[in-house]
Amino acid sequence: MESQNVTRVSAFLLLGLSEDPELQPLLFGLFLTMYLVTVFGNLLIMLAVASDPRLHTPMYFFLSNLSLADIGFTSTTVPKMLVNIQTKSKSITYAGCLTQVSFYAFFGCMDSLLLTSMAYDRFVAICHPLHYTVIITPRLCGLLILVSIFVSFLDFLLHILMVSQLTFCMNLEIYQFFCDPPQLINIACSDTSTSTVLLYFIGAFFGGVPVSGIIFSYIRIISSILRVPSSGGKYKAFSTCGSHLSVVCLFYGTVTGVYLSSAVLSPSKKGALATVMYTVVTPMLNPFIYSLRNRDIKNGLQKLLGRTT
């Protein structure tokens, strides 16, 4: 089968979650609701942190940036899916696909690095409480955000480079509701060995390094908590990082499950359903996890909503 260069490919087909016409209105309503909840919930977190001086601390500074990254992460994929459902179309242009891949990588990497920064913040707060204000300074917080943006932009560029090197034949069907990089490699008809190695390198470096930092931080945190003599002290220490740990487990658990299964199994709509967990559900649940388990955020939201009313 004669291949054509990827730059001459006009569009890909996003097969989405279901081709059943009767399910399309249900999917549209469900994902529109989840998207609006995600945007509204994360915006509320950002506004609460910005409006309440008691929340002007490093932990909530990172949380507000995580909320912004979550909005960007979800907005990269869900609006296009909603448009395709509404217009009864499955196509996405090559430029649109490349844009999705790059911003998906950027905001996904930002999420990962911000979760790592928050783990480091909790590590210093619990393991070195007397030196917390000396170590976690506003300058360091700003530097960590800048480093996160720079590294995420590098991930952005590497994904563009990887996809631009692929060539495609007539099979342009993607078993996802967005342009997922591993699936683009699967449908390419040229030699994908270089792109596959690059994809694994990106995953190992931009995913593995943050995960290693989070694991190291929590090993130190848990060992420090176990040395606390009273059960009340242990609960109080662990409660300060419970929300963060819940989000980390939810995000990395679903991402790891999806990508490990994709390495073994062939692409299918089951994989698309699993991907929904970390691309849509996790960003939607983050505000609830932090607001339900955190008294300061609850108070900040009540104060914000009361002032608005």
Side-chain angles (χ1 to χ4, degrees):
M1 194 185 308
E2 185 180 356
S3 65
Q4 58 180 354
N5 190 281
V6 70
T7 55
R8 301 210 306 262
V9 171
S10 60
F12 296 93
L13 293 178
L14 300 175
L15 298 185
L17 301 176
S18 174
E19 298 180 40
D20 187 349
E22 295 181 359
L23 286 179
Q24 300 308 306
L26 176 63
L27 289 174
F28 181 83
L30 177 63
F31 279 89
L32 178 61
T33 301
M34 289 195 293
Y35 179 67
L36 292 176
V37 170
T38 300
V39 173
F40 185 67
N42 282 288
L43 279 176
L44 275 180
I45 294 291
M46 294 167 61
L47 290 172
V49 172
S51 63
D52 192 343
R54 293 173 300 178
L55 299 180
H56 294 174
T57 63
M59 180 173 67
Y60 298 117
F61 172 71
F62 291 129
L63 176 59
S64 60
N65 280 276
L66 179 67
S67 295
L68 180 61
D70 279 340
I71 292 174
F73 190 49
T74 306
S75 298
T76 302
T77 57
V78 176
K80 176 58 181 174
M81 180 180 65
L82 294 175
V83 169
N84 280 6
I85 293 175
Q86 188 67 19
T87 59
K88 297 180 174 58
S89 170
K90 298 178 183 178
S91 66
I92 181 172
T93 64
Y94 169 70
C97 189
L98 191 61
T99 301
Q100 268 199 346
V101 167
S102 53
F103 280 100
Y104 166 83
F106 179 85
F107 287 114
C109 187
M110 274 292 291
D111 262 352
S112 182
L113 292 172
L114 287 169
L115 288 172
T116 308
S117 299
M118 294 171 77
Y120 176 68
D121 173 76
R122 293 299 84 202
F123 159 70
V124 177
I126 293 173
C127 299
H128 305 283
L130 298 179
H131 300 92
Y132 179 79
T133 55
V134 177
I135 298 173
I136 308 296
T137 60
R139 183 177 180 179
L140 177 64
C141 294
L143 180 62
L144 288 173
I145 295 299
L146 289 176
V147 169
S148 298
I149 293 173
F150 174 77
V151 174
S152 299
F153 184 68
L154 181 60
D155 192 17
F156 174 100
L157 294 177
L158 286 174
H159 272 81
I160 291 178
L161 176 64
M162 179 183 68
V163 175
S164 64
Q165 298 304 308
L166 297 174
T167 55
F168 297 88
C169 299
M170 299 306 294
N171 179 23
L172 302 176
E173 295 181 342
I174 300 174
Y175 288 89
Q176 278 288 8
F177 58 92
F178 69 101
C179 288
D180 194 19
Q183 295 218 18
L184 287 173
I185 292 176
N186 285 335
I187 66 173
C189 61
S190 59
D191 180 19
T192 60
S193 56
T194 302
S195 297
T196 302
V197 170
L198 182 58
L199 183 66
Y200 279 113
F201 168 78
I202 291 171
F205 182 77
F206 294 98
V209 173
V211 169
S212 300
I214 292 172
I215 292 174
F216 172 79
S217 296
Y218 272 102
I219 289 174
R220 296 291 301 274
I221 287 170
I222 292 171
S223 63
S224 179
I225 290 175
L226 291 176
R227 290 197 296 267
V228 176
S230 66
S231 58
K234 290 178 181 178
Y235 175 78
K236 183 177 179 181
F238 189 75
S239 64
T240 62
C241 54
S243 299
H244 176 260
L245 186 59
S246 301
V247 172
V248 167
C249 292
L250 186 61
F251 180 75
Y252 284 109
T254 52
V255 170
T256 303
V258 168
Y259 280 93
L260 285 180
S261 62
S262 67
V264 178
L265 305 174
S266 59
S268 67
K269 289 187 173 59
K270 291 182 179 179
L273 287 171
T275 307
V276 171
M277 285 301 298
Y278 73 88
T279 56
V280 183
V281 176
T282 300
M284 180 184 69
L285 292 180
N286 284 357
F288 294 99
I289 292 173
Y290 277 101
S291 61
L292 292 175
R293 294 179 58 90
N294 192 300
R295 184 176 299 175
D296 292 335
I297 290 291
K298 280 184 183 179
N299 294 335
L301 287 172
Q302 289 172 358
K303 185 178 178 180
L304 174 67
L305 295 174
R307 184 185 303 167
T308 304
T309 304

